[in-house]
Amino acid sequence: MKKIHYREWGIESPRYWGLLAVLATIVAVGGFATLYMEHQGHWVTGMTNQIVWGTPHVFAIFLIVAASGALNVASIGSVFGQKMYKPLARLSGLMAITLLVGGLIVLVLDLGQPTRLIVAMTTYNFKSIFAWNIYLYVGFMAIVAVYLFTMMERKANGYSHGVGVLAFVWRLALTTGTGSIFGFLVARQGYDAAIMAPMFIIMSFAYGLALYLLVLMFTFNTDDRPLGDALLRRLKNLLGVFVAAIFYFTVVYHLTNLYGTENHAYEAFILRDGGVYTWVFWLCWVLLGMIVPMGILFHPALGMQRGAITIAALLVVFGGLSAIYVIVIGGQAFPLNMFPGHTIIESGYYDGVDGLARAYSPSLPEFLLGIGGFALALLATFVGVRLLQFLPTSLADEVIDPHAAK
Amino acid sequence: MSEPIDKQRRAFLATASGAAAATAVAPGVFLHAVAQAAPRDSAVTDAVRYGMLIDTTKCADGCSDCVSACDKENGLDMLVKPEGASDALWDMQRPRWIRQVKLKNNLTGRVTTLPMMCQHCEKPPCVDVCPTGASFRRADGIVMVDRHTCIGCRYCMMACPYNARSFIHENVQLKPTAAPRGKGCVESCNLCVQRRDNGGTTTACQDACKQGAIVFGDLKDANSAVSQALAKYPSVQIRADLKLNTGVRYTDV
């Protein structure tokens, strides 16, 4: 491999500031939506006492999961020694931090008492996976920051492998913690499953890589930096494999549920009778989020076209949001199974009369808050690559791998 | 060159600081003395465990006396629908500590009516998941929320198997002294904890039930009405499979 040079993102100032202005506007709109929700209270949202986590949580969980996945590219380079991935590592570390910040901001701003964040940082119940996650998230940011330092400061390069291993192990723990938020909920039919944690890990691989690919292609394309076909082929194949792995976990999760009679009602709800959740599951999660992107990425001709790869990555992101929507909202919409062998025929508190789902309609402010988190993550990423040397000047095949196919 | 010491100034400062300290400390001392004089002077212990037995055969279809009594006791009837809120959505967002549920047995078609509320588990999932420990279980078995440390994350509501908790979705104008509340916190039935701490022996729902379907008391006292009733009639826990050892039990479900 030739020596890799890194340079700040060099697109012309008007384009750069224009991009920042657009993103900052979206962030500001999200901020105003938050102020509105916090000032009025959550009655202005679609969330209720039955659907307690709504659209903000879908965005927040997606971003947090994707953050740990974005670090994978760096891990492949420094933990698993794939030299080709090493020049990609800095952006990977940066995105791991920015996506996590975006997700956490959304999560925190949706709290009923966001000003009590200090309470959450000082008063802990260590039986709660949430309390653990506070440490896992903050620790992740700190470790990745040190990891970036070891990569970017020549004198510290020697520590890069060690810190990289730590970051990799930490990110596995982090996504396990995020998946366990649901896995530990014994009361709910759709959640109480150990497979949730590994499924979230594999989801993070795909969603993080999809976002990484999109940012990499965008920043290189706009700055006229070469991005080699061989490298892109590797990355898109990896994305295809990760999506296939989500497909596998999705199938196993539902098949194991279908085996146990106690879960039949929940499976019927998600797979057949759940209305919007059934549609989102089959159309958005399975078809558009997994089958179509796999078809594109593994197609001999389409898979080599950059436009098609971009569409596939966007679809993976869309499928990811859909998957989290089905898991988070669909899982709550399905009524609690309080009285096995009975049907609730009347209830003063929406207990699922006649087994009907609990209603939820996302509201605009919730959506704006979620999108604001996305925009914040991208804004921080673009500021980062502009100010510091995160991006290699060239990722042409002959630069990163002299033995690349000619 | 040093200035001569102003003795009067020193004396004034000493008196002033003494007075200030007395002003700051005295109310604490005074309040402490008042607190000790009240019946709530001793710490809550696990010598008692509060619980309930609900006789569903006595629970009358169409009656909601327990619900209204709870609303009144805990100030839930003071909450007003925010201006501009839709009726349907607001009904799903307003807090409820107790509600009527009517069930039909899928096999036999037998219909049962019962009140549902926090089941006051010995091992409450809401307490396990709460990141700050705001959701807690008192030594006497009452599960409740510390509104000073609740951050409004609603994880406890995700974890509760009984749909027993409510989130305050709106600004609160009026609230009773016994049950303070504010926007953005979670709450649920606390077995009328204000009555427990002031020497009361009943709950509002129990008092309101003309059928006598609700028996409340100390599960650890073999002579209490609730223990006697539990010894006499077969009873069940709801979601007994979760092994939460609930403090609220039901007959004939």
Side-chain angles (χ1 to χ4, degrees), chain B residues 99-134:
Chain B
R99 78 246 187 211
Q100 285 297 120
V101 177
K102 199 159 144 186
L103 318 166
K104 192 176 82 184
N105 186 307
N106 291 342
L107 185 69
T108 63
R110 184 168 178 273
V111 172
T112 311
T113 311
L114 50 85
M116 271 300 288
M117 73 289 268
C118 171
Q119 303 287 296
H120 298 279
C121 311
E122 187 191 0
K123 304 206 179 295
C126 58
V127 173
D128 288 346
V129 301
C130 177
T132 64

mmCIF file of all heavy atoms in Angstrom, chain B residues 99-134:
data_model
loop_
_atom_site.group_PDB
_atom_site.id
_atom_site.type_symbol
_atom_site.label_atom_id
_atom_site.label_comp_id
_atom_site.label_asym_id
_atom_site.label_seq_id
_atom_site.Cartn_x
_atom_site.Cartn_y
_atom_site.Cartn_z
ATOM 1 N N ARG B 99 -58.961 0.858 36.853
ATOM 2 C CA ARG B 99 -59.977 0.835 35.789
ATOM 3 C C ARG B 99 -60.755 -0.463 35.869
ATOM 4 O O ARG B 99 -60.275 -1.450 36.443
ATOM 5 C CB ARG B 99 -59.324 0.957 34.412
ATOM 6 C CG ARG B 99 -58.677 -0.331 33.886
ATOM 7 C CD ARG B 99 -57.198 -0.223 33.778
ATOM 8 N NE ARG B 99 -56.568 -1.371 33.127
ATOM 9 C CZ ARG B 99 -55.355 -1.782 33.420
ATOM 10 N NH1 ARG B 99 -54.648 -1.205 34.366
ATOM 11 N NH2 ARG B 99 -54.823 -2.798 32.774
ATOM 12 N N GLN B 100 -61.957 -0.441 35.284
ATOM 13 C CA GLN B 100 -62.776 -1.642 35.217
ATOM 14 C C GLN B 100 -62.401 -2.433 33.971
ATOM 15 O O GLN B 100 -62.216 -1.856 32.902
ATOM 16 C CB GLN B 100 -64.256 -1.259 35.125
ATOM 17 C CG GLN B 100 -64.844 -0.781 36.418
ATOM 18 C CD GLN B 100 -64.828 -1.868 37.493
ATOM 19 O OE1 GLN B 100 -64.226 -1.694 38.531
ATOM 20 N NE2 GLN B 100 -65.464 -2.997 37.232
ATOM 21 N N VAL B 101 -62.311 -3.738 34.124
ATOM 22 C CA VAL B 101 -62.043 -4.599 32.981
ATOM 23 C C VAL B 101 -63.075 -5.730 33.001
ATOM 24 O O VAL B 101 -63.382 -6.273 34.064
ATOM 25 C CB VAL B 101 -60.618 -5.194 33.050
ATOM 26 C CG1 VAL B 101 -60.375 -6.156 31.899
ATOM 27 C CG2 VAL B 101 -59.572 -4.095 33.028
ATOM 28 N N LYS B 102 -63.608 -6.033 31.830
ATOM 29 C CA LYS B 102 -64.590 -7.116 31.730
ATOM 30 C C LYS B 102 -64.027 -8.193 30.805
ATOM 31 O O LYS B 102 -63.591 -7.884 29.684
ATOM 32 C CB LYS B 102 -65.885 -6.545 31.149
ATOM 33 C CG LYS B 102 -67.092 -7.389 31.386
ATOM 34 C CD LYS B 102 -68.304 -6.467 31.236
ATOM 35 C CE LYS B 102 -69.473 -7.150 30.600
ATOM 36 N NZ LYS B 102 -70.566 -6.211 30.350
ATOM 37 N N LEU B 103 -64.013 -9.423 31.287
ATOM 38 C CA LEU B 103 -63.393 -10.520 30.535
ATOM 39 C C LEU B 103 -64.400 -11.590 30.192
ATOM 40 O O LEU B 103 -65.354 -11.809 30.926
ATOM 41 C CB LEU B 103 -62.358 -11.259 31.392
ATOM 42 C CG LEU B 103 -61.411 -10.512 32.272
ATOM 43 C CD1 LEU B 103 -60.774 -11.520 33.223
ATOM 44 C CD2 LEU B 103 -60.377 -9.923 31.366
ATOM 45 N N LYS B 104 -64.111 -12.281 29.114
ATOM 46 C CA LYS B 104 -64.933 -13.444 28.772
ATOM 47 C C LYS B 104 -64.002 -14.634 28.635
ATOM 48 O O LYS B 104 -62.979 -14.564 27.944
ATOM 49 C CB LYS B 104 -65.656 -13.194 27.455
ATOM 50 C CG LYS B 104 -66.738 -14.227 27.179
ATOM 51 C CD LYS B 104 -67.493 -13.892 25.914
ATOM 52 C CE LYS B 104 -66.709 -14.372 24.717
ATOM 53 N NZ LYS B 104 -67.281 -14.020 23.432
ATOM 54 N N ASN B 105 -64.368 -15.715 29.318
ATOM 55 C CA ASN B 105 -63.577 -16.933 29.192
ATOM 56 C C ASN B 105 -63.786 -17.508 27.791
ATOM 57 O O ASN B 105 -64.916 -17.745 27.365
ATOM 58 C CB ASN B 105 -64.031 -17.937 30.268
ATOM 59 C CG ASN B 105 -63.135 -19.169 30.285
ATOM 60 O OD1 ASN B 105 -62.919 -19.806 29.257
ATOM 61 N ND2 ASN B 105 -62.622 -19.495 31.461
ATOM 62 N N ASN B 106 -62.693 -17.733 27.083
ATOM 63 C CA ASN B 106 -62.803 -18.169 25.694
ATOM 64 C C ASN B 106 -63.489 -19.522 25.562
ATOM 65 O O ASN B 106 -64.146 -19.805 24.568
ATOM 66 C CB ASN B 106 -61.413 -18.255 25.055
ATOM 67 C CG ASN B 106 -60.798 -16.879 24.881
ATOM 68 O OD1 ASN B 106 -61.503 -15.869 24.924
ATOM 69 N ND2 ASN B 106 -59.489 -16.835 24.710
ATOM 70 N N LEU B 107 -63.357 -20.382 26.557
ATOM 71 C CA LEU B 107 -63.916 -21.731 26.469
ATOM 72 C C LEU B 107 -65.371 -21.745 26.916
ATOM 73 O O LEU B 107 -66.243 -22.263 26.223
ATOM 74 C CB LEU B 107 -63.084 -22.679 27.330
ATOM 75 C CG LEU B 107 -63.478 -24.155 27.259
ATOM 76 C CD1 LEU B 107 -63.146 -24.724 25.884
ATOM 77 C CD2 LEU B 107 -62.742 -24.950 28.335
ATOM 78 N N THR B 108 -65.619 -21.142 28.081
ATOM 79 C CA THR B 108 -66.944 -21.277 28.686
ATOM 80 C C THR B 108 -67.841 -20.075 28.416
ATOM 81 O O THR B 108 -69.046 -20.155 28.609
ATOM 82 C CB THR B 108 -66.807 -21.417 30.207
ATOM 83 O OG1 THR B 108 -66.224 -20.210 30.714
ATOM 84 C CG2 THR B 108 -65.904 -22.583 30.581
ATOM 85 N N GLY B 109 -67.259 -18.973 28.020
ATOM 86 C CA GLY B 109 -68.059 -17.771 27.782
ATOM 87 C C GLY B 109 -68.432 -17.044 29.062
ATOM 88 O O GLY B 109 -69.140 -16.032 29.033
ATOM 89 N N ARG B 110 -67.957 -17.524 30.196
ATOM 90 C CA ARG B 110 -68.288 -16.888 31.470
ATOM 91 C C ARG B 110 -67.666 -15.489 31.524
ATOM 92 O O ARG B 110 -66.502 -15.298 31.176
ATOM 93 C CB ARG B 110 -67.729 -17.747 32.605
ATOM 94 C CG ARG B 110 -68.070 -17.263 33.987
ATOM 95 C CD ARG B 110 -67.714 -18.349 34.999
ATOM 96 N NE ARG B 110 -67.993 -17.907 36.349
ATOM 97 C CZ ARG B 110 -67.126 -17.213 37.087
ATOM 98 N NH1 ARG B 110 -65.943 -16.898 36.603
ATOM 99 N NH2 ARG B 110 -67.446 -16.837 38.311
ATOM 100 N N VAL B 111 -68.443 -14.541 31.986
ATOM 101 C CA VAL B 111 -67.980 -13.153 32.018
ATOM 102 C C VAL B 111 -67.596 -12.757 33.438
ATOM 103 O O VAL B 111 -68.294 -13.075 34.395
ATOM 104 C CB VAL B 111 -69.073 -12.209 31.465
ATOM 105 C CG1 VAL B 111 -68.682 -10.754 31.680
ATOM 106 C CG2 VAL B 111 -69.301 -12.486 29.990
ATOM 107 N N THR B 112 -66.462 -12.103 33.582
ATOM 108 C CA THR B 112 -65.973 -11.648 34.885
ATOM 109 C C THR B 112 -65.696 -10.148 34.803
ATOM 110 O O THR B 112 -65.156 -9.678 33.802
ATOM 111 C CB THR B 112 -64.647 -12.359 35.232
ATOM 112 O OG1 THR B 112 -64.817 -13.758 35.034
ATOM 113 C CG2 THR B 112 -64.220 -12.081 36.662
ATOM 114 N N THR B 113 -66.051 -9.431 35.853
ATOM 115 C CA THR B 113 -65.729 -8.002 35.915
ATOM 116 C C THR B 113 -64.771 -7.795 37.073
ATOM 117 O O THR B 113 -64.954 -8.393 38.139
ATOM 118 C CB THR B 113 -66.995 -7.178 36.179
ATOM 119 O OG1 THR B 113 -67.995 -7.605 35.272
ATOM 120 C CG2 THR B 113 -66.734 -5.702 35.978
ATOM 121 N N LEU B 114 -63.765 -6.985 36.868
ATOM 122 C CA LEU B 114 -62.810 -6.748 37.957
ATOM 123 C C LEU B 114 -62.119 -5.402 37.795
ATOM 124 O O LEU B 114 -62.028 -4.871 36.685
ATOM 125 C CB LEU B 114 -61.774 -7.872 38.010
ATOM 126 C CG LEU B 114 -61.043 -8.266 36.725
ATOM 127 C CD1 LEU B 114 -59.838 -7.374 36.499
ATOM 128 C CD2 LEU B 114 -60.596 -9.710 36.813
ATOM 129 N N PRO B 115 -61.647 -4.847 38.891
ATOM 130 C CA PRO B 115 -60.829 -3.645 38.785
ATOM 131 C C PRO B 115 -59.352 -4.032 38.622
ATOM 132 O O PRO B 115 -58.878 -4.972 39.250
ATOM 133 C CB PRO B 115 -61.053 -2.947 40.132
ATOM 134 C CG PRO B 115 -61.388 -4.049 41.077
ATOM 135 C CD PRO B 115 -61.919 -5.216 40.304
ATOM 136 N N MET B 116 -58.653 -3.301 37.749
ATOM 137 C CA MET B 116 -57.214 -3.542 37.558
ATOM 138 C C MET B 116 -56.458 -2.291 37.994
ATOM 139 O O MET B 116 -56.888 -1.180 37.724
ATOM 140 C CB MET B 116 -56.891 -3.793 36.089
ATOM 141 C CG MET B 116 -56.978 -5.237 35.628
ATOM 142 S SD MET B 116 -55.883 -6.351 36.499
ATOM 143 C CE MET B 116 -54.285 -5.884 35.845
ATOM 144 N N MET B 117 -55.349 -2.519 38.638
ATOM 145 C CA MET B 117 -54.492 -1.402 39.044
ATOM 146 C C MET B 117 -53.091 -1.964 39.237
ATOM 147 O O MET B 117 -52.850 -3.128 38.915
ATOM 148 C CB MET B 117 -55.019 -0.750 40.323
ATOM 149 C CG MET B 117 -54.825 -1.527 41.599
ATOM 150 S SD MET B 117 -55.851 -2.990 41.726
ATOM 151 C CE MET B 117 -57.269 -2.358 42.560
ATOM 152 N N CYS B 118 -52.184 -1.145 39.749
ATOM 153 C CA CYS B 118 -50.852 -1.649 40.055
ATOM 154 C C CYS B 118 -51.010 -2.853 40.980
ATOM 155 O O CYS B 118 -51.773 -2.798 41.954
ATOM 156 C CB CYS B 118 -50.023 -0.573 40.740
ATOM 157 S SG CYS B 118 -48.454 -1.181 41.383
ATOM 158 N N GLN B 119 -50.291 -3.932 40.681
ATOM 159 C CA GLN B 119 -50.452 -5.165 41.456
ATOM 160 C C GLN B 119 -49.464 -5.240 42.621
ATOM 161 O O GLN B 119 -49.401 -6.229 43.325
ATOM 162 C CB GLN B 119 -50.296 -6.382 40.534
ATOM 163 C CG GLN B 119 -51.278 -6.386 39.366
ATOM 164 C CD GLN B 119 -52.707 -6.719 39.796
ATOM 165 O OE1 GLN B 119 -52.985 -7.806 40.273
ATOM 166 N NE2 GLN B 119 -53.616 -5.750 39.640
ATOM 167 N N HIS B 120 -48.655 -4.223 42.787
ATOM 168 C CA HIS B 120 -47.714 -4.136 43.904
ATOM 169 C C HIS B 120 -46.909 -5.421 44.083
ATOM 170 O O HIS B 120 -46.937 -6.068 45.124
ATOM 171 C CB HIS B 120 -48.444 -3.697 45.178
ATOM 172 C CG HIS B 120 -49.037 -2.338 45.011
ATOM 173 N ND1 HIS B 120 -48.299 -1.189 45.150
ATOM 174 C CD2 HIS B 120 -50.272 -1.947 44.619
ATOM 175 C CE1 HIS B 120 -49.065 -0.143 44.870
ATOM 176 N NE2 HIS B 120 -50.261 -0.578 44.542
ATOM 177 N N CYS B 121 -46.176 -5.729 43.020
ATOM 178 C CA CYS B 121 -45.364 -6.950 42.971
ATOM 179 C C CYS B 121 -44.266 -6.918 44.037
ATOM 180 O O CYS B 121 -43.733 -5.854 44.369
ATOM 181 C CB CYS B 121 -44.665 -7.061 41.622
ATOM 182 S SG CYS B 121 -45.720 -6.809 40.199
ATOM 183 N N GLU B 122 -43.918 -8.097 44.489
ATOM 184 C CA GLU B 122 -42.760 -8.174 45.386
ATOM 185 C C GLU B 122 -41.482 -7.946 44.572
ATOM 186 O O GLU B 122 -40.503 -7.396 45.073
ATOM 187 C CB GLU B 122 -42.710 -9.552 46.066
ATOM 188 C CG GLU B 122 -41.631 -9.633 47.123
ATOM 189 C CD GLU B 122 -41.379 -11.045 47.622
ATOM 190 O OE1 GLU B 122 -42.040 -11.987 47.146
ATOM 191 O OE2 GLU B 122 -40.494 -11.195 48.476
ATOM 192 N N LYS B 123 -41.509 -8.426 43.323
ATOM 193 C CA LYS B 123 -40.365 -8.207 42.436
ATOM 194 C C LYS B 123 -40.856 -7.441 41.206
ATOM 195 O O LYS B 123 -41.041 -8.008 40.134
ATOM 196 C CB LYS B 123 -39.761 -9.535 42.022
ATOM 197 C CG LYS B 123 -39.366 -10.393 43.209
ATOM 198 C CD LYS B 123 -38.256 -11.348 42.867
ATOM 199 C CE LYS B 123 -37.854 -12.190 44.056
ATOM 200 N NZ LYS B 123 -37.267 -11.417 45.156
ATOM 201 N N PRO B 124 -41.031 -6.136 41.347
ATOM 202 C CA PRO B 124 -41.679 -5.377 40.270
ATOM 203 C C PRO B 124 -40.759 -5.114 39.078
ATOM 204 O O PRO B 124 -39.659 -4.587 39.259
ATOM 205 C CB PRO B 124 -42.029 -4.037 40.949
ATOM 206 C CG PRO B 124 -41.528 -4.130 42.354
ATOM 207 C CD PRO B 124 -40.638 -5.300 42.481
ATOM 208 N N PRO B 125 -41.190 -5.482 37.872
ATOM 209 C CA PRO B 125 -40.373 -5.201 36.679
ATOM 210 C C PRO B 125 -40.137 -3.705 36.489
ATOM 211 O O PRO B 125 -39.082 -3.300 35.995
ATOM 212 C CB PRO B 125 -41.200 -5.764 35.523
ATOM 213 C CG PRO B 125 -42.127 -6.753 36.142
ATOM 214 C CD PRO B 125 -42.392 -6.268 37.533
ATOM 215 N N CYS B 126 -41.088 -2.875 36.914
ATOM 216 C CA CYS B 126 -40.929 -1.420 36.744
ATOM 217 C C CYS B 126 -39.764 -0.904 37.582
ATOM 218 O O CYS B 126 -39.074 0.032 37.193
ATOM 219 C CB CYS B 126 -42.215 -0.691 37.120
ATOM 220 S SG CYS B 126 -42.756 -1.003 38.815
ATOM 221 N N VAL B 127 -39.560 -1.523 38.744
ATOM 222 C CA VAL B 127 -38.447 -1.111 39.614
ATOM 223 C C VAL B 127 -37.121 -1.605 39.025
ATOM 224 O O VAL B 127 -36.120 -0.889 39.030
ATOM 225 C CB VAL B 127 -38.659 -1.654 41.048
ATOM 226 C CG1 VAL B 127 -37.435 -1.396 41.911
ATOM 227 C CG2 VAL B 127 -39.892 -1.028 41.667
ATOM 228 N N ASP B 128 -37.144 -2.828 38.482
ATOM 229 C CA ASP B 128 -35.918 -3.368 37.875
ATOM 230 C C ASP B 128 -35.389 -2.472 36.764
ATOM 231 O O ASP B 128 -34.187 -2.241 36.668
ATOM 232 C CB ASP B 128 -36.194 -4.758 37.271
ATOM 233 C CG ASP B 128 -36.383 -5.819 38.341
ATOM 234 O OD1 ASP B 128 -36.035 -5.542 39.508
ATOM 235 O OD2 ASP B 128 -36.880 -6.908 38.013
ATOM 236 N N VAL B 129 -36.285 -1.981 35.909
ATOM 237 C CA VAL B 129 -35.809 -1.284 34.706
ATOM 238 C C VAL B 129 -35.548 0.204 34.914
ATOM 239 O O VAL B 129 -34.876 0.826 34.101
ATOM 240 C CB VAL B 129 -36.797 -1.449 33.522
ATOM 241 C CG1 VAL B 129 -36.998 -2.917 33.184
ATOM 242 C CG2 VAL B 129 -38.113 -0.763 33.792
ATOM 243 N N CYS B 130 -36.059 0.788 35.985
ATOM 244 C CA CYS B 130 -35.942 2.243 36.167
ATOM 245 C C CYS B 130 -34.473 2.664 36.284
ATOM 246 O O CYS B 130 -33.768 2.223 37.189
ATOM 247 C CB CYS B 130 -36.703 2.693 37.407
ATOM 248 S SG CYS B 130 -36.517 4.465 37.717
ATOM 249 N N PRO B 131 -33.984 3.515 35.373
ATOM 250 C CA PRO B 131 -32.553 3.842 35.393
ATOM 251 C C PRO B 131 -32.110 4.618 36.627
ATOM 252 O O PRO B 131 -30.960 4.524 37.044
ATOM 253 C CB PRO B 131 -32.349 4.673 34.129
ATOM 254 C CG PRO B 131 -33.691 5.186 33.764
ATOM 255 C CD PRO B 131 -34.681 4.177 34.260
ATOM 256 N N THR B 132 -33.020 5.411 37.201
ATOM 257 C CA THR B 132 -32.595 6.261 38.317
ATOM 258 C C THR B 132 -33.057 5.745 39.674
ATOM 259 O O THR B 132 -32.737 6.351 40.705
ATOM 260 C CB THR B 132 -33.154 7.694 38.159
ATOM 261 O OG1 THR B 132 -34.580 7.618 38.236
ATOM 262 C CG2 THR B 132 -32.759 8.315 36.845
ATOM 263 N N GLY B 133 -33.823 4.667 39.685
ATOM 264 C CA GLY B 133 -34.344 4.175 40.958
ATOM 265 C C GLY B 133 -35.544 4.966 41.447
ATOM 266 O O GLY B 133 -35.948 4.850 42.606
ATOM 267 N N ALA B 134 -36.138 5.807 40.539
ATOM 268 C CA ALA B 134 -37.317 6.578 40.931
ATOM 269 C C ALA B 134 -38.511 5.667 41.169
ATOM 270 O O ALA B 134 -39.340 5.915 42.031
ATOM 271 C CB ALA B 134 -37.660 7.600 39.851
#
